[in-house]
Amino acid sequence: SLFCVLLIRLDLLRIKISIKLCPFKIHIVYFRIPFMKTKLKNIALALIDICCFFNSKQKYRFKYKEQNKGDIYILTSGPSLSETFETLSEDFFVNKECCFVNDMAQLSFYTKIKPLYYAMADPCYWVDENKTNESDIIARTKTFEALISKTNWDMILFVHKDAFKSSSFLSNFSKNKKIRLIPITLYDLKTRLHSFQNFTYKFNYAAPSANVLCMTLFCCLNMGYKQIIVFGADHSWLPDIRINDKN
């Protein structure tokens, strides 16, 4: 192998990346460019992002070919979802384009609403059993069983591309041909060049990395839905982001 060393230091921003390009191995460490302007810095960061795309072997890339013009309903598992069904009946969502997330396949109305989409972003669904806890293993096993046994309609499952590295995850869903797995590349871009960001987001080279709701919203926007209605989106991380009782 050929070893090339490139030293990079962008003002106070320090980045270290290791890239493998067969038969070359490139180590990007640091070099200093004094007084680098913001635009030049963003261009340099964009180049680093591109290197990261090659390093991650981007064979998993979903192209959004079919554009939708209607509405979609995203149902997530927050506590307020139960309040939603006190106001709206389950029948309201029947024959509507819906997306469920995480463990919602275990719920009684899953087979009644028949969501067109499903989303998983938490690594607990595909990491090795020795790298997660027993409660997560039990929960994901129940979810997999529900998805595989109950889903008798065509459904797309959006999932982090890292799940495709798990043979056990893939073998589970190979049992049900109605479920189509679509990989999403969750990667936080370092550059702030909007044109470059828009390109990578549009063609699924990258997606904002936050939680399953953000990933689902991203997918729905890219699929062209004009109105996205979200239910049960309350989450513990929202009140946890505070400084004191007044903020």
Side-chain angles (χ1 to χ4, degrees):
S1 297
L2 175 64
F3 291 85
C4 301
V5 178
L6 177 61
L7 301 177
I8 296 183
R9 186 181 187 276
L10 308 179
D11 294 343
L12 298 177
L13 181 61
R14 298 178 65 85
I15 300 168
K16 183 176 181 180
I17 301 173
S18 178
I19 305 170
K20 295 180 181 178
L21 296 173
C22 216
F24 305 106
K25 185 173 183 180
I26 304 174
H27 289 284
I28 300 181
V29 195
Y30 304 117
F31 87 86
R32 181 168 184 171
I33 304 177
F35 310 111
M36 176 177 278
K37 293 184 178 180
T38 302
K39 191 168 184 179
L40 291 176
K41 183 189 296 185
N42 282 327
I43 292 173
L45 291 174
L47 293 175
I48 292 174
D49 286 327
I50 292 171
C51 291
C52 289
F53 297 153
F54 283 109
N55 190 41
S56 62
K57 300 178 181 178
Q58 291 279 333
K59 60 181 178 181
Y60 305 124
R61 189 167 66 85
F62 174 50
K63 297 180 181 179
Y64 300 93
K65 294 180 179 179
E66 299 177 5
Q67 289 294 306
N68 303 274
K69 296 182 179 179
D71 302 341
I72 187 168
Y73 298 81
I74 299 175
L75 279 68
T76 61
S77 51
S80 65
L81 185 63
S82 58
E83 298 175 8
T84 297
F85 286 109
E86 292 177 2
T87 306
L88 300 173
S89 68
E90 297 171 5
D91 294 331
F92 173 81
F93 297 98
V94 176
N95 297 323
K96 288 185 172 63
E97 298 190 19
C98 297
C99 179
F100 284 13
V101 303
N102 296 342
D103 297 326
M104 294 184 67
Q106 299 182 41
L107 301 178
S108 59
F109 52 77
Y110 173 69
T111 53
K112 184 174 183 179
I113 295 177
K114 291 181 171 60
L116 291 180
Y117 307 101
Y118 207 98
M120 293 178 176
D122 195 322
C124 71
Y125 289 105
W126 56 82
V127 295
D128 294 337
E129 292 188 359
N130 60 353
K131 295 181 180 179
T132 187
N133 56 60
E134 186 177 355
S135 61
D136 283 342
I137 295 172
I138 293 172
R140 79 182 185 185
T141 301
K142 290 181 178 179
T143 297
F144 292 165
E145 289 174 351
L147 282 167
I148 294 163
S149 62
K150 294 180 180 180
T151 309
N152 56 8
W153 62 93
D154 291 331
M155 185 180 75
I156 289 178
L157 170 57
F158 294 113
V159 66
H160 193 297
K161 71 178 181 63
D162 286 351
F164 282 67
K165 300 175 184 178
S166 170
S167 57
S168 60
F169 183 90
L170 295 177
S171 64
N172 271 307
F173 288 99
S174 65
K175 301 171 185 176
N176 189 330
K177 301 302 181 183
K178 292 287 187 180
I179 302 175
R180 178 188 172 197
L181 300 182
I182 297 296
I184 301 299
T185 305
L186 297 180
Y187 173 73
D188 288 321
L189 293 171
K190 297 173 179 62
T191 182
R192 292 297 176 264
L193 289 176
H194 295 304
S195 57
F196 180 77
Q197 287 180 326
N198 292 339
F199 174 83
T200 56
Y201 290 158
K202 181 178 180 180
F203 294 99
N204 195 24
Y205 284 105
S209 177
N211 55 36
V212 69
L213 176 58
C214 291
M215 185 180 83
T216 307
L217 289 169
F218 171 81
C219 293
C220 291
L221 287 169
N222 260 356
M223 287 190 293
Y225 284 101
K226 301 304 179 184
Q227 183 166 262
I228 302 172
I229 303 98
V230 182
F231 295 94
D234 45 327
H235 197 283
S236 61
W237 66 272
L238 292 173
D240 286 344
I241 303 176
R242 60 175 179 257
I243 300 172
N244 51 43
D245 292 338
K246 296 181 179 180
N247 183 3

mmCIF file of all heavy atoms in Angstrom, residues 42-66:
data_model
loop_
_atom_site.group_PDB
_atom_site.id
_atom_site.type_symbol
_atom_site.label_atom_id
_atom_site.label_comp_id
_atom_site.label_asym_id
_atom_site.label_seq_id
_atom_site.Cartn_x
_atom_site.Cartn_y
_atom_site.Cartn_z
ATOM 1 N N ASN A 42 -15.169 26.296 4.032
ATOM 2 C CA ASN A 42 -16.294 25.446 3.659
ATOM 3 C C ASN A 42 -15.970 24.562 2.458
ATOM 4 O O ASN A 42 -16.402 23.414 2.379
ATOM 5 C CB ASN A 42 -17.530 26.301 3.358
ATOM 6 C CG ASN A 42 -18.215 26.772 4.620
ATOM 7 O OD1 ASN A 42 -18.215 26.078 5.626
ATOM 8 N ND2 ASN A 42 -18.793 27.957 4.581
ATOM 9 N N ILE A 43 -15.202 25.112 1.506
ATOM 10 C CA ILE A 43 -14.792 24.310 0.352
ATOM 11 C C ILE A 43 -13.895 23.162 0.813
ATOM 12 O O ILE A 43 -14.044 22.013 0.369
ATOM 13 C CB ILE A 43 -14.064 25.186 -0.686
ATOM 14 C CG1 ILE A 43 -15.055 26.177 -1.308
ATOM 15 C CG2 ILE A 43 -13.416 24.329 -1.763
ATOM 16 C CD1 ILE A 43 -14.401 27.197 -2.215
ATOM 17 N N ALA A 44 -12.973 23.471 1.727
ATOM 18 C CA ALA A 44 -12.091 22.427 2.247
ATOM 19 C C ALA A 44 -12.890 21.360 2.987
ATOM 20 O O ALA A 44 -12.644 20.164 2.842
ATOM 21 C CB ALA A 44 -11.047 23.051 3.177
ATOM 22 N N LEU A 45 -13.875 21.807 3.761
ATOM 23 C CA LEU A 45 -14.718 20.855 4.491
ATOM 24 C C LEU A 45 -15.563 20.020 3.541
ATOM 25 O O LEU A 45 -15.824 18.842 3.795
ATOM 26 C CB LEU A 45 -15.599 21.607 5.482
ATOM 27 C CG LEU A 45 -14.873 22.234 6.673
ATOM 28 C CD1 LEU A 45 -15.827 23.082 7.495
ATOM 29 C CD2 LEU A 45 -14.237 21.165 7.541
ATOM 30 N N ALA A 46 -16.007 20.634 2.437
ATOM 31 C CA ALA A 46 -16.772 19.885 1.439
ATOM 32 C C ALA A 46 -15.918 18.779 0.838
ATOM 33 O O ALA A 46 -16.400 17.657 0.604
ATOM 34 C CB ALA A 46 -17.280 20.818 0.351
ATOM 35 N N LEU A 47 -14.652 19.067 0.591
ATOM 36 C CA LEU A 47 -13.747 18.038 0.069
ATOM 37 C C LEU A 47 -13.571 16.911 1.073
ATOM 38 O O LEU A 47 -13.509 15.727 0.706
ATOM 39 C CB LEU A 47 -12.384 18.670 -0.269
ATOM 40 C CG LEU A 47 -12.384 19.663 -1.435
ATOM 41 C CD1 LEU A 47 -11.013 20.313 -1.582
ATOM 42 C CD2 LEU A 47 -12.779 18.972 -2.732
ATOM 43 N N ILE A 48 -13.512 17.270 2.342
ATOM 44 C CA ILE A 48 -13.410 16.248 3.386
ATOM 45 C C ILE A 48 -14.675 15.396 3.423
ATOM 46 O O ILE A 48 -14.628 14.176 3.570
ATOM 47 C CB ILE A 48 -13.140 16.904 4.751
ATOM 48 C CG1 ILE A 48 -11.731 17.517 4.767
ATOM 49 C CG2 ILE A 48 -13.292 15.887 5.881
ATOM 50 C CD1 ILE A 48 -11.412 18.294 6.003
ATOM 51 N N ASP A 49 -15.837 16.050 3.279
ATOM 52 C CA ASP A 49 -17.102 15.304 3.234
ATOM 53 C C ASP A 49 -17.103 14.305 2.081
ATOM 54 O O ASP A 49 -17.534 13.162 2.233
ATOM 55 C CB ASP A 49 -18.284 16.262 3.083
ATOM 56 C CG ASP A 49 -18.593 17.006 4.374
ATOM 57 O OD1 ASP A 49 -18.395 16.420 5.444
ATOM 58 O OD2 ASP A 49 -19.029 18.162 4.292
ATOM 59 N N ILE A 50 -16.621 14.749 0.916
ATOM 60 C CA ILE A 50 -16.573 13.859 -0.253
ATOM 61 C C ILE A 50 -15.673 12.662 0.033
ATOM 62 O O ILE A 50 -16.001 11.520 -0.303
ATOM 63 C CB ILE A 50 -16.073 14.629 -1.489
ATOM 64 C CG1 ILE A 50 -17.114 15.671 -1.913
ATOM 65 C CG2 ILE A 50 -15.786 13.674 -2.644
ATOM 66 C CD1 ILE A 50 -16.622 16.618 -2.983
ATOM 67 N N CYS A 51 -14.536 12.913 0.682
ATOM 68 C CA CYS A 51 -13.636 11.814 1.052
ATOM 69 C C CYS A 51 -14.334 10.828 1.983
ATOM 70 O O CYS A 51 -14.167 9.614 1.871
ATOM 71 C CB CYS A 51 -12.383 12.364 1.719
ATOM 72 S SG CYS A 51 -11.298 13.275 0.611
ATOM 73 N N CYS A 52 -15.146 11.361 2.895
ATOM 74 C CA CYS A 52 -15.877 10.503 3.821
ATOM 75 C C CYS A 52 -16.896 9.635 3.085
ATOM 76 O O CYS A 52 -17.128 8.484 3.440
ATOM 77 C CB CYS A 52 -16.586 11.337 4.880
ATOM 78 S SG CYS A 52 -15.463 12.094 6.066
ATOM 79 N N PHE A 53 -17.522 10.192 2.023
ATOM 80 C CA PHE A 53 -18.482 9.414 1.238
ATOM 81 C C PHE A 53 -17.786 8.204 0.612
ATOM 82 O O PHE A 53 -18.288 7.095 0.639
ATOM 83 C CB PHE A 53 -19.111 10.271 0.133
ATOM 84 C CG PHE A 53 -19.912 11.433 0.638
ATOM 85 C CD1 PHE A 53 -20.076 12.572 -0.132
ATOM 86 C CD2 PHE A 53 -20.500 11.389 1.896
ATOM 87 C CE1 PHE A 53 -20.805 13.647 0.332
ATOM 88 C CE2 PHE A 53 -21.232 12.461 2.367
ATOM 89 C CZ PHE A 53 -21.386 13.592 1.588
ATOM 90 N N PHE A 54 -16.580 8.445 0.044
ATOM 91 C CA PHE A 54 -15.847 7.339 -0.559
ATOM 92 C C PHE A 54 -15.405 6.333 0.505
ATOM 93 O O PHE A 54 -15.436 5.125 0.287
ATOM 94 C CB PHE A 54 -14.614 7.870 -1.305
ATOM 95 C CG PHE A 54 -14.936 8.483 -2.634
ATOM 96 C CD1 PHE A 54 -14.853 9.848 -2.826
ATOM 97 C CD2 PHE A 54 -15.332 7.687 -3.691
ATOM 98 C CE1 PHE A 54 -15.155 10.417 -4.056
ATOM 99 C CE2 PHE A 54 -15.642 8.243 -4.936
ATOM 100 C CZ PHE A 54 -15.545 9.609 -5.110
ATOM 101 N N ASN A 55 -15.013 6.850 1.646
ATOM 102 C CA ASN A 55 -14.537 5.980 2.707
ATOM 103 C C ASN A 55 -15.636 5.084 3.243
ATOM 104 O O ASN A 55 -15.399 3.959 3.673
ATOM 105 C CB ASN A 55 -13.961 6.827 3.846
ATOM 106 C CG ASN A 55 -13.224 5.989 4.868
ATOM 107 O OD1 ASN A 55 -12.503 5.067 4.499
ATOM 108 N ND2 ASN A 55 -13.407 6.310 6.132
ATOM 109 N N SER A 56 -16.892 5.567 3.234
ATOM 110 C CA SER A 56 -18.003 4.786 3.758
ATOM 111 C C SER A 56 -18.577 3.829 2.721
ATOM 112 O O SER A 56 -19.554 3.135 2.975
ATOM 113 C CB SER A 56 -19.119 5.717 4.244
ATOM 114 O OG SER A 56 -19.617 6.488 3.178
ATOM 115 N N LYS A 57 -17.970 3.774 1.522
ATOM 116 C CA LYS A 57 -18.396 2.845 0.477
ATOM 117 C C LYS A 57 -19.880 3.001 0.178
ATOM 118 O O LYS A 57 -20.696 2.161 0.517
ATOM 119 C CB LYS A 57 -18.074 1.408 0.884
ATOM 120 C CG LYS A 57 -16.590 1.185 1.106
ATOM 121 C CD LYS A 57 -16.311 -0.231 1.563
ATOM 122 C CE LYS A 57 -14.825 -0.421 1.809
ATOM 123 N NZ LYS A 57 -14.501 -1.776 2.295
ATOM 124 N N GLN A 58 -20.207 4.091 -0.456
ATOM 125 C CA GLN A 58 -21.599 4.467 -0.677
ATOM 126 C C GLN A 58 -22.308 3.587 -1.712
ATOM 127 O O GLN A 58 -22.747 4.044 -2.755
ATOM 128 C CB GLN A 58 -21.669 5.925 -1.123
ATOM 129 C CG GLN A 58 -21.312 6.920 -0.056
ATOM 130 C CD GLN A 58 -22.463 7.176 0.877
ATOM 131 O OE1 GLN A 58 -23.598 7.042 0.496
ATOM 132 N NE2 GLN A 58 -22.186 7.522 2.101
ATOM 133 N N LYS A 59 -22.422 2.306 -1.424
ATOM 134 C CA LYS A 59 -23.183 1.446 -2.336
ATOM 135 C C LYS A 59 -24.662 1.458 -1.955
ATOM 136 O O LYS A 59 -25.495 0.979 -2.712
ATOM 137 C CB LYS A 59 -22.645 0.020 -2.295
ATOM 138 C CG LYS A 59 -22.700 -0.648 -0.935
ATOM 139 C CD LYS A 59 -22.118 -2.051 -1.014
ATOM 140 C CE LYS A 59 -22.116 -2.722 0.348
ATOM 141 N NZ LYS A 59 -21.542 -4.076 0.311
ATOM 142 N N TYR A 60 -24.965 1.968 -0.756
ATOM 143 C CA TYR A 60 -26.354 2.047 -0.328
ATOM 144 C C TYR A 60 -26.857 3.471 -0.542
ATOM 145 O O TYR A 60 -26.572 4.357 0.243
ATOM 146 C CB TYR A 60 -26.481 1.682 1.156
ATOM 147 C CG TYR A 60 -25.893 0.341 1.508
ATOM 148 C CD1 TYR A 60 -24.930 0.232 2.491
ATOM 149 C CD2 TYR A 60 -26.313 -0.807 0.860
ATOM 150 C CE1 TYR A 60 -24.404 -0.997 2.832
ATOM 151 C CE2 TYR A 60 -25.786 -2.041 1.188
ATOM 152 C CZ TYR A 60 -24.833 -2.123 2.166
ATOM 153 O OH TYR A 60 -24.308 -3.344 2.495
ATOM 154 N N ARG A 61 -27.548 3.688 -1.617
ATOM 155 C CA ARG A 61 -28.045 5.035 -1.883
ATOM 156 C C ARG A 61 -29.411 4.942 -2.548
ATOM 157 O O ARG A 61 -29.561 4.390 -3.624
ATOM 158 C CB ARG A 61 -27.070 5.810 -2.771
ATOM 159 C CG ARG A 61 -27.415 7.272 -2.898
ATOM 160 C CD ARG A 61 -26.265 8.049 -3.500
ATOM 161 N NE ARG A 61 -26.007 7.671 -4.871
ATOM 162 C CZ ARG A 61 -26.649 8.187 -5.921
ATOM 163 N NH1 ARG A 61 -27.580 9.109 -5.740
ATOM 164 N NH2 ARG A 61 -26.363 7.796 -7.143
ATOM 165 N N PHE A 62 -30.413 5.470 -1.871
ATOM 166 C CA PHE A 62 -31.780 5.441 -2.382
ATOM 167 C C PHE A 62 -32.022 6.678 -3.233
ATOM 168 O O PHE A 62 -31.787 7.799 -2.802
ATOM 169 C CB PHE A 62 -32.764 5.386 -1.212
ATOM 170 C CG PHE A 62 -34.201 5.491 -1.615
ATOM 171 C CD1 PHE A 62 -34.721 4.686 -2.607
ATOM 172 C CD2 PHE A 62 -35.046 6.392 -0.998
ATOM 173 C CE1 PHE A 62 -36.045 4.769 -2.974
ATOM 174 C CE2 PHE A 62 -36.376 6.492 -1.355
ATOM 175 C CZ PHE A 62 -36.871 5.678 -2.351
ATOM 176 N N LYS A 63 -32.491 6.474 -4.464
ATOM 177 C CA LYS A 63 -32.833 7.587 -5.336
ATOM 178 C C LYS A 63 -34.332 7.829 -5.273
ATOM 179 O O LYS A 63 -35.124 6.911 -5.489
ATOM 180 C CB LYS A 63 -32.400 7.282 -6.774
ATOM 181 C CG LYS A 63 -30.899 7.111 -6.935
ATOM 182 C CD LYS A 63 -30.543 6.806 -8.372
ATOM 183 C CE LYS A 63 -29.041 6.609 -8.530
ATOM 184 N NZ LYS A 63 -28.674 6.292 -9.930
ATOM 185 N N TYR A 64 -34.704 9.056 -4.953
ATOM 186 C CA TYR A 64 -36.114 9.406 -4.827
ATOM 187 C C TYR A 64 -36.688 9.672 -6.222
ATOM 188 O O TYR A 64 -36.684 10.798 -6.702
ATOM 189 C CB TYR A 64 -36.281 10.634 -3.937
ATOM 190 C CG TYR A 64 -35.744 10.440 -2.539
ATOM 191 C CD1 TYR A 64 -34.446 10.803 -2.215
ATOM 192 C CD2 TYR A 64 -36.539 9.891 -1.543
ATOM 193 C CE1 TYR A 64 -33.945 10.629 -0.935
ATOM 194 C CE2 TYR A 64 -36.051 9.711 -0.254
ATOM 195 C CZ TYR A 64 -34.762 10.079 0.036
ATOM 196 O OH TYR A 64 -34.281 9.893 1.298
ATOM 197 N N LYS A 65 -37.149 8.626 -6.869
ATOM 198 C CA LYS A 65 -37.651 8.765 -8.236
ATOM 199 C C LYS A 65 -39.126 9.149 -8.262
ATOM 200 O O LYS A 65 -39.545 9.963 -9.074
ATOM 201 C CB LYS A 65 -37.437 7.449 -8.994
ATOM 202 C CG LYS A 65 -35.965 7.099 -9.214
ATOM 203 C CD LYS A 65 -35.828 5.795 -9.973
ATOM 204 C CE LYS A 65 -34.364 5.454 -10.204
ATOM 205 N NZ LYS A 65 -34.209 4.161 -10.919
ATOM 206 N N GLU A 66 -39.908 8.538 -7.380
ATOM 207 C CA GLU A 66 -41.342 8.788 -7.388
ATOM 208 C C GLU A 66 -41.659 10.001 -6.519
ATOM 209 O O GLU A 66 -41.370 10.020 -5.338
ATOM 210 C CB GLU A 66 -42.091 7.555 -6.868
ATOM 211 C CG GLU A 66 -41.861 6.307 -7.710
ATOM 212 C CD GLU A 66 -42.563 5.106 -7.128
ATOM 213 O OE1 GLU A 66 -43.297 5.282 -6.126
ATOM 214 O OE2 GLU A 66 -42.392 4.006 -7.666
#
